[in-house]
């Protein structure tokens, strides 16, 4: 084969690239061994994962840890605590606070599902549960705001307390929206970010409004 | 001769089906364990057979053992295979049905929109078109209308809370969502039905889109008047803003309909429903007059009523004022 003897790469075209070997995840032995570990280890590992995600929400950087290992424990805890704290805020003393809890629960989960569907329909690359996870975790600043509001309301319900509550809730609302936007807007085509951000803004606005207009019995 | 007869007799004794060549499924051994185990067992036994054969034992006994195990393994394996096949078929059917009906990609084309387009359509929804002899284009897009409905829900909630509306047997959120979505979907369907009767050229998605964008005027009006409580201001907004968005919807519909009677029916219905809805939203969820609530009897009220509207005196007064104002402006 005389023609093949002359095969050579011209010096002008550099041949370069990257060979990355994906870091192998746990070997099969490790997966089996988590069955035998003590329960404390399992719980601590899950708690650490949840805690790490809370820290990510506090300092919203563009990290993929929140997105990669999604879990819904944090959102559930936040949702339940927020709903419990919002109970008993109706103006009628005969209400037993039942609709309040269900209302908050349904609003949060139904709103998160709608936002996720919307972002998927707009061409997002994020998966359903990842989006739910991010939206749920970003409710954390608003839960903190609810705590602060309750404490402030213990002191009194005047104009000053309203102004304090307004400032706190407004700041936390901005934080929530920014945090979730930092995670979710990246998965969209660049010129459609505003279309995804608006429902998130509305969602956290409704929750903030529920917190701000809460008056205890 | 004697030995083969004994062998065959032994063989028959071991088989449960009584020597028939047909495999009797009724006698299938369901507790045979996994077919893998059976195969493994068979392999093991066969290896042992070979070893035994190599050591020179009688072949008939081993053959007998091998065949018996074969039958047992075969029965278990068949059962497994049938069950496996049924599972595969069922799974395939279920996934096909799911991908057909629960596929959100069906809705994807209706959300294919840019922010500039949404903004342009929002502004356009307040500008009535002049050319009604040429069918106007309606974008079949659902993102804008959906967001507008949710915004209206949020504004309604705000209005209900600030007017201290008490819903006893329901929830504020449920009422707001029910009202807004009910209006959007219900009136769209009704208008689509009327359009079908009047031979208008409009599809359901286009009707949904048109009515949804028409709610932009409602959002603006309610947002302003829930915070600034002047009745005259509301009436001005109702006429101007509500009127503009109604005129736009009406003009687009008229451009797509032929015949005077049909045009009149469609436009009259749409205009009436749209304007009355804005009126309803304002008076149902808004603090009517201060001090009304003081005259309420608390414990004797029947369930599921909104407190602010429950006094016939007040609602009559409101209706009279409204009627007088309309009569004056006309």
């Amino acid at each position: 084969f005389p023609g093949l003897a002359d095969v050579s790469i011209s010096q002008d075209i550099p041949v370069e690239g990257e060979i990355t070997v994906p870091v192998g995840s746990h070997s099969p032995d490790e997966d089996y061994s988590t069955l035998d570990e003590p329960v404390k280890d399992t719980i601590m590992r899950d708690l650490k994962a949840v805690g790490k995600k809370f820290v990510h929400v506090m300092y919203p950087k563009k990290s993929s840890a929140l997105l990669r290992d999604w879990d819904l424990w944090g959102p559930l805890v936040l949702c339940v605590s927020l709903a419990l704290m919002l109970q008993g805020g109706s103006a009628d003393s005969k209400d037993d606070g039942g609709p309040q809890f269900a209302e908050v629960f349904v609003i949060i989960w139904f709103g998160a599902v709608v936002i996720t569907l919307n972002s998927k329909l707009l061409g997002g690359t994020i998966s359903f549960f990842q989006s739910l996870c991010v939206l749920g975790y970003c409710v954390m600043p608003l839960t903190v705001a609810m705590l602060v509001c309750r404490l402030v309301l213990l002191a009194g319900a005047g104009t000053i307390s309203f102004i304090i509550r307004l400032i706190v809730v407004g700041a936390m609302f901005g934080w929530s929206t920014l945090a979730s936007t930092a995670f979710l807007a990246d998965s969209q085509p660049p010129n459609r970010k505003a279309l995804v951000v608006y429902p998130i803004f509305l969602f956290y606005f409704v929750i903030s409004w529920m917190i701000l207009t809460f008056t205890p019995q | 001769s004697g030995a083969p007869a004994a062998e065959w007799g032994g063989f028959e004794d071991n088989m449960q089906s009584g020597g028939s060549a047909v495999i009797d499924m009724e006698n299938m051994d369901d507790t045979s364990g996994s077919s893998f185990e059976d195969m493994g067992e068979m392999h093991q036994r066969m290896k042992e057979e070979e070893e035994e054969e190599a050591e020179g034992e009688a072949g008939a006994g081993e053959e007998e053992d091998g065949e018996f195990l074969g039958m047992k393994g075969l029965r278990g394996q068949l059962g497994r295979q049938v069950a496996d096949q049924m599972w595969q078929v069922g799974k395939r059917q279920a996934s096909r049905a799911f991908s057909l009906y629960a596929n959100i990609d069906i809705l994807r084309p209706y959300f294919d929109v840019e922010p500039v387009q949404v903004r342009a359509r929002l502004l356009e929804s307040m500008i009535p078109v002049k050319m009604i002899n040429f069918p106007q284009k309606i974008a079949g897009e659902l993102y804008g209308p959906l967001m507008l409905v949710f915004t209206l829900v949020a504004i309604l909630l705000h209005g209900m809370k600030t007017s201290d509306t008490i819903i006893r047997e329901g929830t504020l959120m449920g009422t707001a969502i029910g009202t807004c979505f009910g209006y959007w979907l219900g009136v769209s369907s009704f208008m689509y039905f009327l359009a079908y009767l009047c031979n208008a050229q409009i599809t359901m998605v286009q009707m949904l889109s048109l009515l949804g964008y028409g709610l932009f005027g409602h959002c603006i009006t309610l947002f302003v008047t829930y915070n600034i409580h002047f009745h005259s201001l509301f009436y001005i907004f109702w006429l101007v803003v509500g009127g503009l968005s109604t005129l736009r919807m009406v003009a687009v519909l008229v451009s797509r309909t032929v015949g005077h009677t049909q045009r009149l029916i469609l436009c009259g219905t749409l205009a009436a429903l749209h304007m009355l809805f804005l009126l309803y939203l304002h008076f149902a969820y808004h603090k009517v007059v201060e001090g009304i609530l003081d005259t309420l009897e608390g414990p004797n009220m029947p369930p599921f009523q909104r407190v602010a509207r429950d006094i016939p005196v007040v609602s009559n007064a409101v209706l009279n004022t409204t009627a007088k104002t309309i009569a004056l402006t006309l």
Side-chain angles (χ1 to χ4, degrees), chain A residues 91-92 94-95 99 103 107 110 114 117-118 120-124 191-192 194-196 198-199 202 205-206 209 213, chain B residues 104 107-108 111-115 118 143 147 150-151 154 157-158 161 166-168 170-173 177 298-299:
Chain A
D92 185 10
K94 296 202 192 77
D95 269 343
E103 233 179 302
I107 288 175
F110 177 68
V114 165
L117 282 179
N118 174 58
K120 280 190 84 71
L121 281 171
L122 286 172
N191 53 341
R192 294 201 182 175
L195 295 183
V196 174
Y198 179 70
L202 206 55
F205 181 78
V206 169
W209 167 88
T213 58
Chain B
I104 64 166
L107 291 174
R108 207 179 275 272
F111 282 75
D112 189 14
V113 69
E114 307 286 320
V118 174
Y143 173 83
M147 289 304 128
F150 279 121
T151 313
L157 275 175
H158 174 63
K161 243 327 179 20
I166 303 166
I167 311 245
R168 285 170 199 270
T171 62
L172 284 183
M173 195 71 195
I177 291 185

Side-chain angles (χ1 to χ4, degrees), chain B residues 97-115:
Chain B
F98 181 75
S99 66
L100 193 63
Y101 292 116
N103 200 1
I104 64 166
D105 283 334
I106 300 176
L107 291 174
R108 207 179 275 272
Y110 304 125
F111 282 75
D112 189 14
V113 69
E114 307 286 320

